[in-house]
């Protein structure tokens, strides 16, 4: 039964992908690049913020100061 749900889920994803490809037409690659680029920018910004917070916390531990 689990395999059936997996198959149906993948078929729905494929149908949605084909529908979006037909709707976007020639603009499909542009939308794909925009989504990938935006996702990468957000992930890199979040990673930078996490690294900054970790370094700041380590510096506060070393100096004994707190904000």
């Amino acid at each position: 039964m689990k395999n059936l749900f997996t198959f149906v889920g993948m078929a729905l994803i494929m149908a949605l992908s084909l529908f979006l490809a037909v709707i976007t037409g020639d603009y499909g690659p542009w939308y794909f690049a925009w989504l990938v680029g935006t996702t990468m920018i957000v992930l890199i910004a979040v990673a930078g913020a996490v690294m900054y917070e970790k370094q700041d916390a380590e510096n506060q531990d070393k100096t004994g100061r707190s904000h």
Side-chain angles (χ1 to χ4, degrees):
M1 193 64 157
K2 182 180 176 185
N3 289 338
L4 177 64
F5 288 134
T6 302
F7 179 76
V8 170
M10 293 295 178
L12 289 174
I13 291 172
M14 184 182 67
L16 178 64
S17 298
L18 287 172
F19 175 74
L20 289 175
V22 169
I23 294 298
T24 59
D26 292 337
Y27 295 111
W30 185 89
Y31 286 118
F32 177 75
W34 182 82
L35 286 173
V36 170
T38 303
T39 303
M40 290 302 298
I41 289 170
V42 169
L43 290 175
I44 290 169
V46 169
V50 168
M51 287 172 38
Y52 174 78
E53 289 293 327
K54 181 160 176 51
Q55 289 174 353
D56 191 42
E58 288 176 358
N59 286 338
Q60 286 178 5
D61 290 343
K62 288 180 183 176
T63 60
R65 294 184 299 176
S66 64
H67 289 126

